[in-house]
Amino acid sequence: MDAQTARTGLPRKFEDWFAGRGWRPRRHQLDCLAAARAGRSHLLIAPTGGGKTLAGFLPSLIELAEQGGGRGLHTLYVSPLKALAVDIARNVAAPVAEMGLQATLETRTGDTPASRRQRQKFNPPDILLTTPEQVALLLANRKAAELFRGLKCVIVDELHSMIAVKRGHLLALGLARLRRLAPGLRVTGLSATAPDAQPLLDFLVPMNAGADPPLLIRAPGGTRPVVQVLHSETDIPWAGHTARHAYAEVYEAIRRSKMTLVFVNTRSQAERVFQALWRMNDDNLAIALHHGSLDVERRRKVEAAMTKGTLRAVVCTSTLDLGIDWGDVDLVIQMGAPKGSSRLTQRIGRANHRMDEPSSALLVPGNRFEVLECLAAKEAIENGALDGEPPREGALDVLAQHILGMACAEPFEADDLYKEVTSAAPYAALSREAFDETLNFVETGGYALKNYDRFRRIVKSPDGRRRVRNPVVAQQYRMNVGTIVEAPAFNVRIVSGARPLRAGRKLGTVEEWFIEGLTPGDTFLFAGEVWRFEGVAGTDAFVSRAPDASPQVPSWNGGKFPLTTYLADRVRHMIHEERDWPALPGALRDWLETQRAVSRIPKPDELLIETFPYSNRYFLVCYPFDGRLAHQTLGMLLTRRLERLGLQPLGFTPTEYSLSVWGRRDMSGVDLDDLFAEDMLGDDLENWLSESMLMKRTFRNCAVIAGLIERRYPGQEKTGRQISFSADLIYDVLREHEPQHVLMKAAWSDAAGGYLDLKRLSGLLARVKGRLVHARLDRVSPLAVPVMLEINKETIHGEAQEAMLQDAADALIEEAMGDGGRRVY
């Protein structure tokens, strides 16, 4: 060993490569190498631009350089994004080529040609870069043991993004199987943001085998980003999330920058923002659009143009959140509130992908409450504070999918598989009873469905082992693997030629319910252009170009992020801390001061409840600041209680910050302590859920993931209506005959943790118990204006309708603010 190698631990070839680039290996990169040489799994937490990718791959590249490649699959890299896997492959290929290493790299995603995917099962590269779904497919293959027996390392990138979701559960189960197939396997986790490292560490090693704990390696923090909140020269809107009042200022920021990423929180907003920027693009700047419903080829073209540096701006959603290196991005703009400091940190990291230079970000709030949220997020970024969702227990529908996949690979003993499953962190607390129930479901469909032959997917052999029932079941598993249940959608295609309609170029996908609401001749905005709807054939929606001043805008389910607990708490404190008000924009300061004079300012641990009459109705408005999902569930439960009290509630509207309930009778005399009592999460919740469509929707998704209902068949795919019809029938049967069925439990867990946000609501009710503050008012309060403007709000097109809405808003604001109310909306 020469002096250089002894000093850094790197072979001469690698030392020379670093030196040739003017680099020196960083301490955390060498620490990862030392951990790998000791055979230890490890987690690296490093800021954007900190060399995480190289740190993760360096041990594998050195091992392959020393041992030679071509001996089978050595390293498996798993990414949450297909585009990230492709980008990382390109980045790792550079040092491989420059050092002349005899190592092969390939990607494997849903976009990889089938012939290459088939060849990879029998002749794999040294390094395979892929996604959780492809890992599951490879493990379900009968040759899985042979493919993975020589595997040395698994690298899980952006680990923080997977531990709290079902894709992470599927991957954790896959890692458990890989550890059995490849004893001594080390797992490397990479993450830029982690408020709590322990759940990520647990993910990397078996939980029931007494394995060495993984090592935690932290890189030094990078230069703090420069974050600004736009205080627009125009008035700050009271409600809405589009931030359209600031479009001109956003365009000017793009003009001043080299390349800008404009992040939005929903695909619909991406379409609106892109169209607005394009209309004011007098400088003919190269501005592109990127979101998950656009055709993959369109997205790849945008990504290639970004890599080449030929674009000035890209309007995008979370599709560009994660660690892809886009080169010359020097500004990140967040349209609307970010909803979480960790998410914002991730997005800001797309600018200046260099550890020693600050990233620049501009936050553009869409309304007054969002100004406070953006200021709270800015403060969190400056203090290095992170937030995020805690990990969830392993989902039973994902477990059912995994059990079937393992049966496809080889027969198994139930005892062995249970031990393997509970070695995965999300399933460490799984009881044997729950495992057996899930196994029985895959084997028979469960008690209520066991007489239906089509639900028997695995069978028990005379030797006691379970195996897949037949090759058809295995094929159906392969076609339907995964945990992402997209809403049913139509392919949007440009009409090719005259009628009859013929499929031309594909633009992307739009949800089924939106297309079904159109009639030929209607126009809508998609892929940055206005299209005329021509008709439908099968699962294709045909369109033609049609410039139009007032198109509809599609919307997609599941596109909104919840407000994190951390930012919600910061906003509550900002409103209460009057000494900090002078630093706020003048309009916000006037707003809060008028609120103090008209009603009151709540303390951070109080729940302010206001009651007042308005427009021949009676209103109850409260301000929990706990996110739209928790507020929506609270509104559902409150209206049930108010109905029992005879107060005739007519409806409710939740926002991220507040909840408004209105009815025909005065609610000011109700016993608020009783109304907001924690026992509403008992019988009231159970009774409401039994009557709602929510459980059917969550059950449908669980049934699809568990394989009870299959979306895809050879040469065809079920429509959303067909899937819902099948799911509803089965749900009704199980609700009546087997309410404790494993999928009913899975649906309840999903509803409680996601759609209802019961944990957040339970915390809210406990936090404010005995701290309710009631303000009886004779008019709308300033703090209530934003939620009042959201009531019955619909998308309105055309100047006349907009003017009518503006007049109604002006009247409401004038009542709340008196002379302090200005014409803003």
Side-chain angles (χ1 to χ4, degrees), residues 693-743:
M693 290 297 296
L694 176 62
M695 280 297 290
K696 285 192 174 183
R697 183 171 62 178
T698 55
F699 177 84
R700 180 195 66 197
N701 292 344
C702 291
V704 168
I705 292 171
L708 185 68
I709 296 174
E710 293 155 335
R711 292 169 290 180
R712 288 178 283 271
Y713 294 84
Q716 61 179 312
E717 184 169 345
K718 280 187 176 181
T719 66
R721 187 175 285 109
Q722 290 171 326
I723 292 173
S724 295
F725 181 76
S726 300
D728 290 351
L729 284 177
I730 297 174
Y731 175 84
D732 290 338
V733 169
L734 294 180
R735 182 183 166 194
E736 181 176 354
H737 299 288
E738 195 179 356
Q740 293 303 308
H741 188 278
V742 64
L743 288 192

Side-chain angles (χ1 to χ4, degrees), residues 524-550:
F524 65 97
L525 185 63
F526 185 67
E529 297 184 63
V530 180
W531 303 93
R532 177 181 292 108
F533 176 62
E534 301 291 351
V536 166
T539 58
D540 291 330
F542 295 98
V543 299
S544 59
R545 283 187 172 85
D548 192 285
S550 57

Side-chain angles (χ1 to χ4, degrees), residues 31 107 111 147 159 313 316 423 496 510 570 620 658 706:
D31 289 343
T107 60
D111 298 331
L147 173 65
L159 178 57
C316 55
S423 72
S496 176
V510 170
R570 288 300 310 140
L620 181 152
S658 57

Side-chain angles (χ1 to χ4, degrees), residues 461-477:
S461 301
D463 62 3
R465 295 190 300 171
R466 269 82 170 183
R467 60 175 176 80
V468 68
R469 184 183 175 195
N470 55 47
V472 174
V473 173
Q475 181 187 38
Q476 288 302 106
Y477 168 84

Side-chain angles (χ1 to χ4, degrees), residues 508-658:
T509 59
V510 170
E511 289 192 2
E512 187 178 85
W513 68 267
F514 179 80
I515 293 296
E516 289 178 344
L518 299 177
T519 57
D522 288 346
T523 59
F524 65 97
L525 185 63
F526 185 67
E529 297 184 63
V530 180
W531 303 93
R532 177 181 292 108
F533 176 62
E534 301 291 351
V536 166
T539 58
D540 291 330
F542 295 98
V543 299
S544 59
R545 283 187 172 85
D548 192 285
S550 57
Q552 297 183 53
V553 181
S555 63
W556 289 266
N557 291 326
K560 295 181 179 179
F561 299 116
L563 176 67
T564 63
T565 303
Y566 175 84
L567 284 189
D569 183 65
R570 288 300 310 140
V571 171
R572 281 194 294 267
H573 279 81
M574 291 177 70
I575 289 175
H576 177 256
E577 297 295 339
E578 297 184 21
R579 64 176 180 272
D580 294 333
W581 290 2
L584 298 175
L588 260 72
R589 190 168 58 249
D590 294 344
W591 178 45
L592 294 179
E593 288 174 349
T594 308
Q595 170 69 21
R596 180 178 58 192
V598 170
S599 178
R600 63 183 296 158
I601 299 294
K603 296 177 181 177
D605 61 349
E606 292 178 339
L607 178 62
L608 173 62
I609 302 170
E610 298 173 332
T611 53
F612 52 80
Y614 180 74
S615 188
N616 298 318
R617 297 178 184 176
Y618 293 94
F619 287 82
L620 181 152
V621 179
C622 59
Y623 307 91
F625 296 91
D626 273 284
R628 184 182 298 269
L629 292 178
H631 296 170
Q632 179 168 287
T633 305
L634 178 61
M636 293 170 182
L637 298 177
L638 287 179
T639 51
R640 289 183 68 88
R641 291 193 157 188
L642 291 167
E643 182 68 36
R644 285 205 305 270
L645 292 172
L647 295 175
Q648 299 181 8
L650 298 173
F652 68 92
T653 295
T655 70
E656 293 286 356
Y657 317 100
S658 57

Side-chain angles (χ1 to χ4, degrees), residues 152 184 260 354 412 424 428 443 494 539 558 566 660 673 676 753:
K152 304 299 182 186
T260 303
R354 293 173 288 278
F412 64 81
E443 194 168 5
I494 302 176
T539 58
Y566 175 84
S660 174
D673 288 320
F676 283 82

Side-chain angles (χ1 to χ4, degrees), residues 57 75-81 84-85 88 128-136 153-159 162 167 171 175 178 187-188 190 203:
F57 279 95
T75 295
L76 186 67
Y77 166 90
V78 186
S79 156
L81 290 179
L84 181 56
I88 295 298
L128 183 64
L129 300 97
T130 189
T131 61
E133 292 76 17
Q134 292 296 321
V135 172
C153 175
V154 175
I155 302 170
V156 183
D157 206 350
E158 305 291 355
L159 178 57
M162 288 197 275
R167 291 185 84 202
L171 178 59
L175 289 175
L178 286 173
V187 183
T188 298
L190 305 177
F203 196 92

